[in-house]
Amino acid sequence: MHILHICTSLNTGGLETMLVDIVNEQVKTNPVSLIILNKGINEDIYNKLSKDINLYRVNRTQGSKNILHFFKFNYLIIKIKAEVIHCHGSEIIKYIYLYKQTNIYHTVHATNMSLGSLPQYDKVFAISRIVQKDLQERLNIKSTVVYNGIHLDTIIPKKYYMYDKFNVICVSRLMHQTKGQDILIKAIDILVSQKNIKNINLDLIGEGESYKYLTELVNKFKLNNYIRFLGLRNRDYIYSHINNYELLVQPSIYEGFGLTVTEGMAAKVPVLVSDIEGPLEVIDYGKYGYTFKIKDEIDCAQKIIDVMEDYNKKKIQIKCDEAYLYAKENFDIKKTAKNYITEYIII
């Protein structure tokens, strides 16, 4: 079965990273081609593509309506003659004019998506049950759940559960209105200024439009000795360093899944998430992680204290071992890629 994946760009992001992981797994058992529509390319992600993948670039400037790009795009689809077309961008199907002789699929990566061109796809995938529920209730779109996955075998797990300084990590694009980093910063302020907890450190990994706002917030609370902005770090760095932390926090306000949460679980690091459906689903509604009330820095601070107490009570390693096994069973990229191939066949 020849599989063709199509994406609009290959910039930095969870969707693009996930796509590369999936095609690299699928090409081990099936012929795989990839068309990238726009010029935007992150070289670090691009260089991780397997050399066995047939790669095509349309090199369209984002927003361009140049008809030549769309002819080139359709020519490539005809040339490839794939039996399966898997789109990663809901509007891509609108530009497939000349070749609709095969099944065309799309993966929805978040809640609150607009209807757009979704009804035109032969099958829609959802990355979690909450995304599936959202599509059904709001848009009356039926979908099939295929969980995102990670390379568990490349993540170095945590071995020691003792600390002098309690190191916390948050990995996400700096978009506080969506990702909630401001809530976490305020929680750290409560711990330092009100609870007199001085042996704590927070590292924020990522870049984005909220950088200025978040750095100003840190300055306002005088937390420069407790909070660092490490900027963008590639996955190799994260996978080899995440085990140095005592806690991973995802304080998101909106999140369809929570890939960094699975990475924390795979590293045997405790995870704390806001109580929204995507991340809650990942930790099986509190069984394999900790939760706090969404947008509530007071509760977030208290739950960090709870995790610290579980370290002192020697309870934390058991919880982390169980979370690791759960992640291994449900969120391995090999299983994700295989599940997609199975679902391609079932219409």
Side-chain angles (χ1 to χ4, degrees), residues 118-330:
L118 289 178
Q120 298 180 44
Y121 287 95
D122 295 294
K123 182 182 280 191
V124 173
F125 299 113
I127 63 168
S128 65
R129 290 193 296 272
I130 185 57
V131 172
Q132 181 187 52
K133 180 181 177 182
D134 179 67
L135 290 170
Q136 180 65 52
E137 291 183 350
R138 288 195 311 108
L139 307 176
N140 197 30
I141 295 288
K142 292 183 179 180
S143 61
T144 300
V145 174
V146 177
Y147 282 128
N148 283 343
I150 56 176
H151 290 280
L152 280 94
D153 53 351
T154 62
I155 298 178
I156 302 174
K158 190 175 184 66
K159 293 182 179 179
Y160 303 105
Y161 292 87
M162 299 176 292
Y163 66 88
D164 294 319
K165 177 166 283 190
F166 194 81
N167 295 299
V168 181
I169 185 173
C170 178
V171 184
S172 186
R173 183 165 181 81
L174 301 182
M175 298 172 57
H176 72 280
Q177 292 177 328
T178 301
K179 300 299 184 180
Q181 291 98 342
D182 57 325
I183 304 300
L184 180 54
I185 290 171
K186 292 173 184 176
I188 297 296
D189 178 58
I190 291 171
L191 294 173
V192 173
S193 63
Q194 298 180 27
K195 304 295 183 180
N196 199 35
I197 296 174
K198 307 296 186 182
N199 63 330
I200 192 165
N201 179 78
L202 167 63
D203 284 344
L204 293 159
I205 292 181
E207 58 184 20
E209 50 267 43
S210 292
Y211 174 76
K212 184 175 184 293
Y213 171 80
L214 294 172
T215 53
E216 289 175 350
L217 196 62
V218 170
N219 290 332
K220 174 185 174 182
F221 293 132
K222 299 179 181 179
L223 291 171
N224 299 85
N225 292 331
Y226 300 94
I227 298 177
R228 300 187 301 176
F229 291 85
L230 301 187
L232 193 63
R233 291 288 188 272
N234 64 30
R235 188 168 56 187
D236 292 340
Y237 176 91
I238 294 169
Y239 280 15
S240 60
H241 286 77
I242 193 171
N243 60 1
N244 295 325
Y245 294 87
E246 277 61 59
L247 177 66
L248 180 143
V249 181
Q250 188 177 65
S252 298
I253 298 165
Y254 304 101
E255 197 77 57
F257 184 68
L259 201 62
T260 59
V261 179
T262 66
E263 291 167 346
M265 294 163 70
K268 297 189 177 182
V269 172
V271 295
L272 170 63
V273 304
S274 53
D275 59 354
I276 55 175
E277 286 290 338
L280 277 178
E281 188 174 332
V282 173
I283 65 170
D284 198 15
Y285 300 90
K287 188 174 181 180
Y288 301 107
Y290 299 81
T291 68
F292 71 94
K293 297 174 185 175
I294 183 175
K295 299 182 183 180
D296 190 334
E297 60 266 25
I298 296 174
D299 193 43
C300 181
Q302 181 56 54
K303 293 305 167 56
I304 293 174
I305 292 173
D306 291 347
V307 177
M308 297 173 84
E309 290 177 350
D310 279 354
Y311 268 89
N312 296 333
K313 295 174 183 176
K314 310 296 184 185
K315 294 169 58 177
I316 205 76
Q317 186 168 0
I318 296 173
K319 193 176 187 77
C320 290
D321 286 343
E322 292 174 348
Y324 169 80
L325 293 174
Y326 183 75
K328 186 176 182 179
E329 175 65 26
N330 292 278

Side-chain angles (χ1 to χ4, degrees), residues 1-210:
M1 182 196 324
H2 192 153
I3 305 164
L4 168 61
H5 289 270
I6 304 172
C7 64
T8 53
S9 65
L10 208 61
N11 288 315
T12 302
L15 187 157
E16 291 86 352
T17 301
M18 178 56 51
L19 172 59
V20 170
D21 287 344
I22 290 169
V23 296
N24 284 349
E25 284 298 322
Q26 289 184 340
V27 79
K28 294 176 182 178
T29 56
N30 295 80
V32 173
S33 297
L34 172 63
I35 295 178
I36 305 170
L37 279 171
N38 294 340
K39 290 181 178 179
I41 296 288
N42 177 283
E43 292 300 323
D44 185 57
I45 295 177
Y46 177 80
N47 291 333
K48 284 183 167 53
L49 283 166
S50 168
K51 303 303 180 185
D52 294 325
I53 295 165
N54 304 307
L55 181 63
Y56 304 90
R57 297 174 62 173
V58 177
N59 286 320
R60 168 183 174 263
T61 300
Q62 186 172 350
S64 170
K65 297 181 180 179
N66 187 334
I67 194 68
L68 294 178
H69 290 130
F70 298 110
F71 276 121
K72 180 180 179 180
F73 173 55
N74 282 270
Y75 167 76
L76 288 174
I77 294 174
I78 294 170
K79 175 184 174 182
I80 294 167
K81 295 181 180 178
E83 291 138 292
V84 167
I85 297 177
H86 190 160
C87 298
H88 304 269
S90 61
E91 300 303 300
I92 290 174
I93 196 169
K94 293 195 307 184
Y95 307 119
I96 302 176
Y97 304 130
L98 306 176
Y99 191 80
K100 294 190 177 179
Q101 302 173 27
T102 188
N103 295 316
I104 305 179
Y105 307 90
H106 171 64
T107 297
V108 178
H109 291 263
T111 56
N112 297 310
M113 298 293 289
S114 61
L115 182 62
S117 300
L118 289 178
Q120 298 180 44
Y121 287 95
D122 295 294
K123 182 182 280 191
V124 173
F125 299 113
I127 63 168
S128 65
R129 290 193 296 272
I130 185 57
V131 172
Q132 181 187 52
K133 180 181 177 182
D134 179 67
L135 290 170
Q136 180 65 52
E137 291 183 350
R138 288 195 311 108
L139 307 176
N140 197 30
I141 295 288
K142 292 183 179 180
S143 61
T144 300
V145 174
V146 177
Y147 282 128
N148 283 343
I150 56 176
H151 290 280
L152 280 94
D153 53 351
T154 62
I155 298 178
I156 302 174
K158 190 175 184 66
K159 293 182 179 179
Y160 303 105
Y161 292 87
M162 299 176 292
Y163 66 88
D164 294 319
K165 177 166 283 190
F166 194 81
N167 295 299
V168 181
I169 185 173
C170 178
V171 184
S172 186
R173 183 165 181 81
L174 301 182
M175 298 172 57
H176 72 280
Q177 292 177 328
T178 301
K179 300 299 184 180
Q181 291 98 342
D182 57 325
I183 304 300
L184 180 54
I185 290 171
K186 292 173 184 176
I188 297 296
D189 178 58
I190 291 171
L191 294 173
V192 173
S193 63
Q194 298 180 27
K195 304 295 183 180
N196 199 35
I197 296 174
K198 307 296 186 182
N199 63 330
I200 192 165
N201 179 78
L202 167 63
D203 284 344
L204 293 159
I205 292 181
E207 58 184 20
E209 50 267 43
S210 292

